[in-house]
Amino acid sequence: MDGKQVWAEMLEGNRRFVRGERRAYDFASRRAELLAGQKCRVTLLTCSDSRVVPEFIFDTNLGDLFDVETAGNVVDEVGLGTIEYGVEHLGTPLLLILGHTRCGAVTACCREGGRGHGNLDSILDRLAPAVERARRDIDQAILENLRQTKREILEKSEVVRRHVAEGRLEVVTALYRLETGEVVPVE
Ligand SMILES: [Zn+2]
């Protein structure tokens, strides 16, 4: 299955989630099956927000999604290394960067910004360029942050660039709407 097919399947799972029709997965047998190793379909970067749970949102099973979660879905070296593990070693054909409406991290950066928040500063620093480009408009900053994160991943990861160039990886940015449960692609 290529990245585009996987993405279509993910959106299909999201439509089930929106309708409240979750698949009845047999976790016990799947746990046993996965002891031989994980064969994920998606490497996924999203926000740590407790309302954004990828396995629920896309109605997926154990072992389907290789998740990286940080406040504001920003990436540092550890995040990039984790993404590269998913892309190169697990061979996922899709890298999904998922932001969400009402993101607390982006909102904090739009409203306060600045420094003096301890280790949170490293997150705010990464969000700041997108927030400035969006002129501190929260909804726009959330979208701008997705574009910025995608650019940053492509700039800093030779592994991701190579997999894209070889046609083995699709990189998709999308927005999860807390209000409706739906995921919409973002250009
Ligand atoms: Zn968030």
Side-chain angles (χ1 to χ4, degrees):
M1 215 186 271
D2 69 19
K4 285 194 172 69
Q5 290 168 315
V6 171
W7 178 227
E9 212 175 60
M10 293 278 281
L11 288 173
E12 188 53 47
N14 176 244
R15 283 191 282 273
R16 289 196 299 277
F17 173 71
V18 170
R19 294 194 300 262
E21 297 167 6
R22 286 184 66 196
R23 270 188 184 160
Y25 289 113
D26 181 353
F27 289 147
S29 69
R30 184 70 170 156
R31 273 202 308 270
E33 210 178 287
L34 287 168
L35 290 176
Q38 47 177 342
K39 293 194 192 81
C40 313
R41 292 176 297 154
V42 185
T43 300
L44 194 151
L45 169 68
T46 192
C47 184
S48 304
D49 194 302
S50 64
R51 299 166 293 182
V52 183
V53 183
E55 283 75 6
F56 288 169
I57 292 172
F58 295 103
D59 192 25
T60 55
N61 205 342
L62 283 175
D64 284 340
L65 310 180
F66 190 70
D67 298 323
V68 183
E69 299 194 356
T70 60
N73 41 274
V74 294
V75 278
D76 59 3
E77 292 77 8
V78 173
L80 280 171
T82 310
I83 288 170
E84 290 182 358
Y85 186 84
V87 168
E88 180 133 272
H89 294 273
L90 301 177
T92 65
L94 176 66
L95 166 59
L96 175 61
I97 306 163
L98 183 70
H100 67 102
T101 57
R102 302 172 193 241
C103 181
V106 175
T107 302
C109 193
C110 286
R111 292 201 178 140
E112 304 162 38
R115 303 191 63 83
H117 304 279
N119 288 309
L120 276 175
D121 284 353
S122 66
I123 297 165
L124 297 174
D125 285 349
R126 283 182 164 83
L127 291 168
V131 164
E132 289 312 317
R133 267 197 303 282
R135 297 167 195 268
R136 299 188 174 261
D137 177 275
I138 294 167
D139 293 339
Q140 288 305 317
I142 287 167
L143 300 180
E144 201 48 51
N145 179 45
L146 283 168
R147 298 182 190 110
Q148 173 178 289
T149 301
K150 179 180 175 177
R151 276 198 304 274
E152 196 179 344
I153 291 171
L154 287 166
E155 265 167 33
K156 295 185 175 167
S157 172
E158 191 273 325
V159 168
V160 171
R161 279 201 307 278
R162 178 159 43 80
H163 279 253
V164 170
E166 290 170 358
R168 289 192 280 160
L169 179 69
E170 200 73 36
V171 182
V172 171
T173 46
L175 180 75
Y176 172 61
R177 295 194 193 282
L178 290 184
E179 301 80 3
T180 60
E182 64 181 335
V183 172
V184 291
V186 170
E187 289 302 319

Coordinates of all heavy atoms in Angstrom, one line a residue, residues 2-4 41-43 83 86-88 91-96 153-154 157 159-172:
D2 N 0.6 2.2 -0.9 CA 1.4 3.4 -0.9 C 0.8 4.5 0.0 O -0.2 4.3 0.6 CB 1.7 3.9 -2.3 CG 0.4 4.5 -3.0 OD1 -0.6 4.8 -2.2 OD2 0.3 4.6 -4.2
G3 N 1.6 5.6 0.2 CA 1.2 6.6 1.1 C -0.2 7.2 0.9 O -0.9 7.5 1.8
K4 N -0.5 7.3 -0.4 CA -1.8 7.9 -0.7 C -3.0 7.0 -0.3 O -4.0 7.4 0.2 CB -1.9 8.2 -2.3 CG -1.1 9.4 -2.7 CD -1.5 9.8 -4.1 CE -0.8 11.2 -4.5 NZ 0.6 11.1 -4.6
R41 N 1.9 1.5 9.6 CA 1.5 2.1 8.3 C 1.8 3.6 8.2 O 2.0 4.2 7.2 CB 0.1 1.9 8.0 CG -0.3 0.4 7.7 CD -1.8 0.3 7.5 NE -2.5 0.7 8.7 CZ -3.8 1.2 8.7 NH1 -4.4 1.3 7.6 NH2 -4.4 1.5 9.8
V42 N 1.9 4.2 9.4 CA 2.0 5.7 9.5 C 2.9 6.1 10.6 O 2.9 5.6 11.7 CB 0.6 6.3 9.8 CG1 0.7 7.8 9.8 CG2 -0.5 5.8 8.9
T43 N 3.8 7.1 10.2 CA 4.6 7.8 11.3 C 3.8 9.1 11.5 O 3.5 9.8 10.5 CB 6.0 8.1 10.8 OG1 6.7 6.9 10.5 CG2 6.8 8.9 11.8
I83 N 11.0 10.3 14.1 CA 10.4 10.3 12.8 C 11.2 9.4 11.8 O 10.7 8.6 11.1 CB 10.2 11.7 12.3 CG1 9.1 12.4 13.1 CG2 9.9 11.7 10.8 CD1 8.9 13.9 12.9
G86 N 10.7 5.8 12.3 CA 9.5 5.3 11.7 C 9.6 5.2 10.2 O 9.1 4.2 9.6
V87 N 10.2 6.2 9.6 CA 10.3 6.2 8.1 C 11.3 5.2 7.6 O 11.0 4.5 6.6 CB 10.7 7.7 7.6 CG1 11.0 7.7 6.2 CG2 9.5 8.6 7.9
E88 N 12.4 5.2 8.2 CA 13.5 4.3 7.6 C 13.4 2.9 8.1 O 13.5 1.9 7.3 CB 14.9 4.9 7.9 CG 16.0 4.1 7.4 CD 17.0 4.9 6.7 OE1 16.9 5.1 5.5 OE2 18.0 5.3 7.3
G91 N 9.6 1.7 7.9 CA 9.2 1.8 6.5 C 7.8 2.3 6.2 O 7.1 1.8 5.3
T92 N 7.3 3.2 7.1 CA 6.0 3.7 6.9 C 5.9 4.5 5.6 O 6.7 5.4 5.4 CB 5.5 4.5 8.0 OG1 6.2 5.7 8.1 CG2 5.5 3.8 9.4
P93 N 4.9 4.3 4.7 CA 4.8 5.1 3.5 C 4.1 6.4 3.7 O 4.0 7.2 2.8 CB 3.9 4.2 2.6 CG 3.1 3.4 3.6 CD 3.9 3.2 4.8
L94 N 3.7 6.7 4.9 CA 3.0 8.0 5.2 C 3.6 8.6 6.4 O 3.7 8.0 7.5 CB 1.5 7.8 5.4 CG 0.7 9.0 5.7 CD1 0.7 10.1 4.6 CD2 -0.8 8.6 6.1
L95 N 3.9 9.9 6.3 CA 4.3 10.7 7.5 C 3.2 11.8 7.6 O 3.0 12.6 6.7 CB 5.7 11.4 7.3 CG 6.0 12.5 8.3 CD1 6.0 12.0 9.7 CD2 7.4 13.1 7.9
L96 N 2.5 11.7 8.7 CA 1.4 12.7 8.9 C 1.7 13.6 10.0 O 2.1 13.2 11.1 CB 0.1 11.9 9.3 CG -1.1 12.7 9.7 CD1 -1.6 13.6 8.5 CD2 -2.3 11.9 10.1
I153 N 11.1 19.6 9.0 CA 11.4 18.2 8.9 C 12.2 17.9 7.6 O 13.2 17.2 7.6 CB 10.1 17.4 9.0 CG1 9.5 17.5 10.4 CG2 10.4 15.9 8.7 CD1 8.2 16.9 10.6
L154 N 11.6 18.5 6.5 CA 12.3 18.2 5.2 C 13.7 18.9 5.1 O 14.6 18.3 4.5 CB 11.4 18.8 4.1 CG 10.1 18.0 3.8 CD1 9.2 18.8 2.9 CD2 10.5 16.6 3.1
S157 N 16.0 16.7 7.8 CA 16.1 15.2 7.8 C 16.4 14.7 6.4 O 15.6 14.7 5.5 CB 14.8 14.6 8.3 OG 14.9 13.2 8.0
V159 N 17.0 11.7 5.7 CA 16.3 10.4 5.5 C 14.9 10.7 5.0 O 14.4 10.0 4.0 CB 16.1 9.7 6.9 CG1 15.1 8.6 6.9 CG2 17.5 9.2 7.4
V160 N 14.2 11.7 5.5 CA 12.8 12.0 5.0 C 12.9 12.5 3.6 O 12.1 12.0 2.7 CB 12.1 13.0 5.9 CG1 10.8 13.5 5.3 CG2 11.9 12.4 7.3
R161 N 13.8 13.4 3.3 CA 14.0 13.9 1.9 C 14.2 12.8 0.9 O 13.6 12.7 -0.1 CB 15.2 14.9 1.8 CG 14.9 16.3 2.3 CD 15.9 17.3 1.7 NE 17.3 16.9 2.0 CZ 17.9 17.2 3.1 NH1 17.3 17.8 4.1 NH2 19.2 16.9 3.3
R162 N 15.1 11.9 1.3 CA 15.4 10.7 0.4 C 14.2 9.9 0.1 O 13.9 9.5 -1.0 CB 16.6 9.9 1.0 CG 17.0 8.7 0.2 CD 18.4 8.3 0.6 NE 18.7 8.3 2.0 CZ 18.3 7.3 2.9 NH1 17.6 6.3 2.4 NH2 18.6 7.4 4.1
H163 N 13.5 9.5 1.2 CA 12.3 8.7 1.0 C 11.2 9.4 0.2 O 10.6 8.7 -0.6 CB 11.7 8.3 2.4 CG 12.5 7.1 3.0 ND1 12.0 5.8 3.1 CD2 13.7 7.1 3.5 CE1 12.9 5.0 3.6 NE2 14.0 5.7 3.9
V164 N 11.1 10.7 0.3 CA 10.2 11.4 -0.6 C 10.6 11.4 -2.0 O 9.9 11.1 -2.9 CB 10.0 12.9 -0.1 CG1 9.2 13.7 -1.1 CG2 9.3 12.9 1.3
A165 N 11.9 11.7 -2.2 CA 12.5 11.7 -3.6 C 12.4 10.3 -4.2 O 12.2 10.3 -5.5 CB 14.0 12.1 -3.5
E166 N 12.5 9.3 -3.5 CA 12.4 7.9 -4.1 C 11.0 7.5 -4.2 O 10.7 6.3 -4.6 CB 13.2 7.0 -3.2 CG 14.7 7.2 -3.3 CD 15.5 6.4 -2.2 OE1 14.9 5.7 -1.4 OE2 16.8 6.5 -2.2
G167 N 10.0 8.3 -3.9 CA 8.6 8.0 -4.0 C 8.1 6.9 -3.0 O 7.1 6.3 -3.2
R168 N 8.9 6.8 -1.9 CA 8.5 5.8 -0.9 C 7.7 6.4 0.3 O 7.3 5.7 1.2 CB 9.7 5.1 -0.4 CG 10.3 4.2 -1.4 CD 11.3 3.3 -0.8 NE 12.6 3.9 -0.6 CZ 13.5 3.5 0.3 NH1 13.3 2.5 1.1 NH2 14.7 4.2 0.4
L169 N 7.6 7.8 0.3 CA 7.0 8.4 1.4 C 6.2 9.6 1.0 O 6.6 10.5 0.2 CB 8.1 8.9 2.4 CG 7.6 9.7 3.6 CD1 6.9 8.7 4.6 CD2 8.8 10.3 4.4
E170 N 5.0 9.7 1.5 CA 4.1 10.8 1.3 C 4.1 11.6 2.6 O 4.0 11.0 3.7 CB 2.7 10.2 1.1 CG 1.7 11.1 0.4 CD 2.0 11.3 -1.1 OE1 2.4 10.4 -1.7 OE2 1.7 12.4 -1.5
V171 N 4.2 12.9 2.5 CA 4.2 13.7 3.8 C 2.9 14.6 3.7 O 2.7 15.3 2.7 CB 5.4 14.7 3.9 CG1 5.4 15.5 5.2 CG2 6.7 13.9 3.8
V172 N 2.0 14.4 4.7 CA 0.7 15.1 4.7 C 0.6 15.9 5.9 O 1.0 15.5 7.0 CB -0.4 14.1 4.6 CG1 -1.8 14.7 4.8 CG2 -0.4 13.3 3.3

